[in-house]
Amino acid sequence: MRENNEFKIDSSGELRDHLQGDCENCFGLCCVALPFAVSSDFAADKDAGTPCPNLQSDFRCGVHTTLRDRGFRGCTVYDCFGAGQKVSQDTFGGQHWRQAPESAKQMYEVFPVMWQLHELLWYLTEALMMPAAQSIYGELQAALEETLRLTDLSPDELLRVEVGLHRAEVNSLLLQTSELVRGEARRRHKGPLNPPKKKLGRGADLIGANLKGADMRYANLRGAYLIAADLRGADLRAADLIGADFRDADIRGADLTGSLFVTQVQLNAAKGDAATKLPPGLERPGHWSA
């Protein structure tokens, strides 16, 4: 295991603690580097590299507690997987874009690269905590270490990383992990399965679908479109949800226990409540109903 500055890694679980946004140690990169346009998620237009007008001198949002009321729902959904503080404190050594405007453009370009690498770290750490994937732990660990190595590169080196190629290599391992975990869960299953009549599968179009109370256990829903779907009380245990679009999906009372590759962004985009069962390591969004 290694130590990089104050970033210590002793286990996949501990590494995950560093893969969540820490705004106190970030220079407001998501509020500057990323663009947004007027839509149901944003009440205004902003170009990439232009600071949001709500960004304060201390890099905090001046309207954080009322973002949804002001039409900036997209800000409350976003999560950087810890890329913001990594770029701010490590890649650029704690020097922010106001102090060093000559490096600002490069910082803004590095941030989305780091975001993708940290997203992959989130998935890899989860895969390494799944006993059913033990047969490929060696490959998963190697991919994790390589991804970590990439996150420690200099700004110039990071901008030369072929992120798409690396994502494809990691995705191959995540696919294998999914098959192993869901296959093991199905083998251990006792009793009947009652899948919905809607066709489930990778990239399935389930926009607005009525899946209330549906038995979706062990399903492959990678990249599925679940926008505004009614998933109240649905059983999504051990379903692969990597990349599934949960915008406005109603998951009140749904069971996501053991669901594979769920992110905070997906939960933030959905509508849930106190009865929604979540995978470990994820937080119940503050805007969910009680």
Side-chain angles (χ1 to χ4, degrees):
M1 301 304 169
R2 69 177 200 163
E3 180 177 326
N4 175 35
N5 298 327
E6 296 302 315
F7 190 63
K8 300 178 181 180
I9 302 159
D10 296 322
S11 67
S12 292
E14 184 174 338
L15 172 55
R16 275 208 149 192
D17 293 339
H18 297 273
L19 299 177
Q20 298 175 351
D22 178 5
C23 296
E24 294 302 317
N25 287 299
C26 176
F27 300 140
L29 293 183
C30 65
C31 306
V32 184
L34 305 179
F36 53 72
V38 173
S39 64
S40 60
D41 290 323
F42 296 101
D45 295 325
K46 189 189 83 64
D47 294 330
T50 300
C52 174
N54 297 316
L55 187 66
Q56 302 179 121
S57 59
D58 62 354
F59 304 111
R60 303 283 76 80
C61 175
V63 295
H64 179 72
T65 58
T66 58
L67 281 168
R68 285 184 166 257
D69 295 336
R70 292 171 179 264
F72 288 91
R73 183 180 65 165
C75 297
T76 67
V77 170
Y78 182 78
D79 184 83
C80 74
F81 294 102
Q85 64 261 27
K86 176 68 175 180
V87 171
S88 299
Q89 302 301 329
D90 292 348
T91 312
F92 284 86
Q95 188 173 56
H96 57 72
W97 45 273
R98 286 183 176 134
Q99 290 173 322
E102 69 280 0
S103 65
K105 182 176 183 295
Q106 188 179 50
M107 182 179 285
Y108 304 154
E109 292 173 345
V110 163
F111 176 60
V113 175
M114 189 68 75
W115 184 91
Q116 292 188 70
L117 294 174
H118 273 226
E119 181 189 29
L120 294 177
L121 288 175
W122 178 269
Y123 294 140
L124 286 166
T125 53
E126 180 173 341
L128 281 164
M129 291 187 283
M130 297 179 181
Q134 188 171 3
S135 62
I136 60 170
Y137 272 4
E139 296 167 82
L140 289 167
Q141 183 64 38
L144 177 72
E145 292 296 332
E146 173 60 12
T147 307
L148 284 168
R149 185 190 70 81
L150 294 176
T151 67
D152 285 337
L153 294 176
S154 69
D156 288 337
E157 292 170 324
L158 277 163
L159 292 178
R160 291 195 294 268
V161 171
E162 295 185 27
V163 181
L165 177 61
H166 186 62
R167 287 187 72 96
E169 293 171 349
V170 171
N171 187 54
S172 176
L173 292 173
L174 298 178
L175 280 167
Q176 292 179 59
T177 300
S178 175
E179 292 296 331
L180 288 168
V181 173
R182 291 185 296 111
E184 176 67 15
R186 280 193 296 266
R187 285 191 292 273
R188 291 177 176 272
H189 178 81
K190 295 180 180 179
L193 286 172
N194 185 29
K197 294 180 180 179
K198 293 278 187 182
K199 185 177 180 181
L200 305 181
R202 186 173 183 176
D205 183 353
L206 298 168
I207 297 174
N210 181 6
L211 294 164
K212 184 178 179 181
D215 185 350
M216 303 168 75
R217 286 174 289 180
Y218 325 129
N220 180 358
L221 292 169
R222 294 172 65 92
Y225 296 94
L226 291 161
I227 302 168
D230 185 351
L231 292 162
R232 287 175 294 170
D235 193 340
L236 290 156
R237 285 178 290 174
D240 186 343
L241 299 176
I242 193 169
D245 193 335
F246 273 86
R247 282 178 294 170
D248 290 325
D250 192 340
I251 56 173
R252 288 176 292 173
D255 191 348
L256 280 72
T257 306
S259 296
L260 281 63
F261 306 125
V262 181
T263 68
Q264 192 65 49
V265 173
Q266 289 171 303
L267 296 183
N268 292 347
K271 300 174 182 177
D273 62 8
T276 305
K277 297 179 181 178
L278 305 179
L282 293 169
E283 297 180 359
R284 200 172 302 276
H287 62 269
W288 280 12
S289 57

